[in-house]
Amino acid sequence: MHSDTDIEIKVLMEAIYMKYSYDFRDYTGASQKRRVLHAMRDMECETISALQARIMHEPAAFSQLLQYLTIPVTSMFRDPSYWLALREQVMPVLRTYPSLKIWIAGSSTGEEVYSMAILLKEEGLLERSMIYATDINPQSLEKARKGVFPLDAMREYTANYQAAGGTSSFSDYYTAAYNAALFDGALCENVTFADHSLATDAVFAETHLISCRNVMIYFKKKLQERAFGLFHESLCHRGFLGLGSKESIDFSAYGPAFEPIVKRERLFRKR
């Protein structure tokens, strides 16, 4: 039997989809419930139904709620061993192509985008690469475009970069001022930031590498299958797919269509 809260959340997600075309209906329940209740308190709504009434009549309120529904949990070179595996196992293969298209799905506030750009630069591949950085949150995309990150995070990011096999001084990639780090704009000259939903949108390009990390953990099985279908359709023959440390394609209907390259790091290759 469903609780009143569960019913209200389901109705809220249906209303969001019908009103704004954002589809959160197949996101996992526990995480979604936690985020909605947090938003309800911060936005001073006594019930979820009251929150729904606000977002139905106030687009600004929906924009505010969206920040809770898509809370970014990210950092540069997060899980350094993943980036080291990309450097050692994937980049040598990508080097054989005259041009590259790379899709970072769920790019959030851009930390992974800049990490990828730095890796490609150090491997001599940035100038011939086109990176598509997509997310459903316009505010996150705007932050990613600016390339400004907290200066106090640079110590952690530097350690991650070094553990990921970085070949330069990490500080060469940004300028520090006013407690912020502004990253070199040249890193993103070939980056296209775009609004794209794995729940509702279609494939937009043939790609050689897709990195979608720590996004699928928030999806129910049905939405995971849809996302894997998009990735399979987008990837070229023998293209690469990178997932988050708690994600796997093994139990998906698309599992047989991929082979593990570095299984521990969730790096797969299309068969």
Side-chain angles (χ1 to χ4, degrees):
M1 186 173 178
H2 296 291
S3 69
D4 289 350
T5 298
D6 291 338
I7 293 169
E8 283 187 301
I9 290 175
K10 185 172 183 179
V11 173
L12 172 64
M13 296 307 151
E14 194 67 44
I16 288 171
Y17 178 63
M18 294 177 71
K19 176 80 173 180
Y20 297 101
S21 299
Y22 280 76
D23 194 352
F24 294 102
R25 296 174 298 175
D26 282 313
Y27 279 55
T28 54
S31 172
Q32 188 178 78
K33 184 176 184 177
R34 194 164 54 246
R35 294 177 181 198
V36 169
L37 292 175
H38 188 188
M40 186 186 81
R41 288 190 295 270
D42 287 358
M43 295 172 70
E44 299 180 343
C45 296
E46 291 197 4
T47 64
I48 296 169
S49 295
L51 177 63
Q52 179 181 324
R54 273 196 66 189
I55 68 108
M56 288 296 289
H57 300 288
E58 301 175 30
F62 171 67
S63 180
Q64 188 178 352
L65 175 60
L66 188 61
Q67 306 317 307
Y68 291 89
L69 295 177
T70 59
I71 294 171
V73 181
T74 184
S75 61
M76 288 193 184
F77 292 97
R78 182 182 184 186
D79 303 321
S81 54
Y82 168 81
W83 294 95
L84 185 61
L86 272 181
R87 189 186 292 270
E88 294 178 346
Q89 304 296 326
V90 176
M91 293 299 148
V93 179
L94 296 186
R95 201 172 287 118
T96 65
Y97 293 97
S99 63
L100 296 169
K101 290 183 179 178
I102 295 166
W103 179 12
I104 299 178
S107 59
S108 187
T109 45
E111 285 84 346
E112 184 163 342
V113 180
Y114 286 86
S115 301
M116 183 67 74
I118 288 170
L119 175 57
L120 290 168
K121 180 177 176 64
E122 293 185 352
E123 295 299 313
L125 295 173
L126 185 59
E127 289 187 354
R128 56 170 136 150
S129 298
M130 173 61 74
I131 301 174
Y132 300 99
T134 66
D135 201 87
I136 62 171
N137 188 330
Q139 288 190 30
S140 292
L141 287 169
E142 184 56 32
K143 185 174 180 181
R145 284 190 190 97
K146 291 177 178 175
V148 179
F149 302 99
L151 190 59
D152 59 11
M154 292 306 112
R155 185 187 296 271
E156 175 197 346
Y157 295 175
T158 298
N160 287 349
Y161 165 76
Q162 291 170 342
T167 59
S168 300
S169 172
F170 189 63
S171 60
D172 289 345
Y173 294 111
Y174 65 85
T175 303
Y178 305 107
N179 293 317
L182 172 63
F183 275 74
D184 184 356
L187 290 169
C188 285
E189 282 183 359
N190 294 340
V191 176
T192 298
F193 292 97
D195 191 319
H196 182 276
S197 170
L198 295 173
T200 58
D201 292 329
V203 167
F204 54 86
E206 183 179 68
T207 52
H208 301 87
L209 166 65
I210 296 173
S211 190
C212 181
R213 308 186 66 237
N214 308 302
V215 175
M216 227 78 78
I217 53 174
Y218 300 112
F219 292 176
K220 292 179 183 176
K221 179 77 171 176
K222 178 182 175 183
L223 187 48
Q224 287 181 356
E225 290 294 325
R226 186 185 197 280
F228 285 137
L230 291 178
F231 298 156
H232 183 266
E233 185 181 349
S234 175
L235 282 171
C236 68
H237 177 63
R238 304 297 286 155
F240 294 91
L241 173 64
L243 302 175
S245 60
K246 296 178 181 177
E247 300 165 332
S248 179
I249 200 170
D250 290 348
F251 303 106
S252 162
Y254 290 92
F258 288 85
E259 62 176 306
I261 298 300
V262 186
K263 193 173 182 67
R264 188 170 63 87
E265 303 305 335
R266 305 299 196 270
L267 269 173
F268 302 88
R269 194 173 189 186
K270 186 176 175 180
R271 293 186 189 276

